[in-house]
Amino acid sequence: MNRIDRLLAISLVLQSRKYTPAETLAERFGMSIRTVYRDLKALNEIGVPIGFEPNRGYFIMQGYFLPPVTFSSEEANALVLVESIVERFTDKSISKNYHSALNKVKAILKNSQKESIEHLEGKVVNSVVCTQSNFEYLSEIQTSITQQTILKIKYQNANQENSEREIEPIGIIFYSMAWHVIAWCWRRLEYRDFKVARIQKLVNTQAAFRKSSHQEINAFIKEQEMRMALT
């Protein structure tokens, strides 16, 4: 990647996130921290208003927008490929949102690219036997995580026992061909693993998390892996 392409790519990363540490940019673009600082300085010099907040990272000042993004044929084809996976491995809410986003991407493509995508769509088939789930909760769970709002759920465990709980989700994991939400459970007063397909009903209460701080999802996963290794 030449420097001009890299500067544009860095601008897009900064615009897509609230804060981005220099270390994240260095790792993403395979360069040193010193080079990151030089690139950020260069962006400032050409008029991109970049700010910095200690312990959080760099950001583009509010009100500044880059010109509309154009997609290469390869990038558009990648989205079509993922579409077949979305159909099989997510729920109705995610599938609906993905198709909506993909249609917006298609709308800004050149006519030649649109023709290529239409040709490709009928040639990409996911043969994995995994039907789409009937629930529509993944999108609402994502909203709960980002807005830090409590969910009230009716849950059925593996023994077909029903319970009602208030949970504070910290992350979503896909394993064993199913989606799981990891959340603080106010009934058990500990972090629990809930299989999304077993949620019978879900309501976002819009109430803010009551727990003052939460464990990071990656730390929770590592703890579970260590427990499994010891058993």
Side-chain angles (χ1 to χ4, degrees), residues 19-23 51-59:
Y19 300 103
T20 305
E23 293 77 10
F52 175 76
E53 185 163 330
N55 301 319
R56 290 193 172 185
Y58 293 89
F59 61 94

Side-chain angles (χ1 to χ4, degrees), residues 137-200:
Y137 301 138
L138 284 175
S139 183
E140 194 64 65
I141 292 170
Q142 288 178 317
T143 299
S144 169
I145 293 171
T146 58
Q147 297 183 353
Q148 298 188 334
T149 52
I150 296 172
L151 296 177
K152 182 177 288 186
I153 63 172
K154 181 177 180 181
Y155 189 73
Q156 185 176 81
N157 63 21
N159 297 321
Q160 308 298 309
E161 299 169 337
N162 293 323
S163 62
E164 292 189 358
R165 305 162 184 253
E166 285 190 337
I167 63 173
E168 298 184 5
I170 63 170
I172 306 172
I173 307 173
F174 184 83
Y175 69 89
S176 300
M177 301 299 287
W179 287 99
H180 299 249
V181 55
I182 309 303
W184 175 264
C185 176
W186 281 106
R187 179 177 178 178
R188 300 295 187 187
L189 296 181
E190 63 181 351
Y191 291 106
R192 305 285 287 190
D193 180 335
F194 299 98
K195 190 173 182 179
V196 178
R198 290 183 183 152
I199 297 177
Q200 306 296 301

Side-chain angles (χ1 to χ4, degrees), residues 14-158:
L14 292 175
Q15 192 174 34
S16 68
R17 300 164 61 99
K18 190 171 183 179
Y19 300 103
T20 305
E23 293 77 10
T24 299
L25 293 172
E27 181 178 356
R28 179 156 184 171
F29 295 103
M31 56 187 180
S32 67
I33 295 293
R34 180 176 294 181
T35 303
V36 171
Y37 294 150
R38 284 203 298 263
D39 283 355
L40 292 172
K41 181 180 179 182
L43 286 171
N44 258 320
E45 289 173 349
I46 61 174
V48 180
I50 298 175
F52 175 76
E53 185 163 330
N55 301 319
R56 290 193 172 185
Y58 293 89
F59 61 94
I60 291 182
M61 300 290 190
Q62 189 172 358
Y64 178 85
F65 295 97
L66 293 171
V69 177
T70 57
F71 291 86
S72 68
S73 296
E74 291 77 13
E75 290 169 336
N77 289 344
L79 294 174
V80 172
L81 182 65
V82 173
E83 184 177 21
S84 66
I85 299 174
V86 170
E87 288 286 352
R88 295 295 186 98
F89 292 97
T90 62
D91 70 352
K92 293 179 180 179
S93 65
I94 298 299
S95 180
K96 176 183 177 182
N97 290 333
Y98 184 85
H99 289 311
S100 176
L102 184 58
N103 285 335
K104 291 177 182 178
V105 171
K106 291 178 180 177
I108 64 173
L109 297 177
K110 299 176 183 177
N111 287 335
S112 59
Q113 292 175 313
K114 292 177 182 178
E115 291 176 1
S116 297
I117 281 187
E118 288 173 3
H119 178 74
L120 180 62
E121 284 177 327
K123 304 295 188 297
V124 178
V125 179
N126 187 336
S127 62
V128 176
V129 180
C130 179
T131 57
Q132 187 189 60
S133 301
N134 290 323
F135 54 83
E136 302 183 41
Y137 301 138
L138 284 175
S139 183
E140 194 64 65
I141 292 170
Q142 288 178 317
T143 299
S144 169
I145 293 171
T146 58
Q147 297 183 353
Q148 298 188 334
T149 52
I150 296 172
L151 296 177
K152 182 177 288 186
I153 63 172
K154 181 177 180 181
Y155 189 73
Q156 185 176 81
N157 63 21

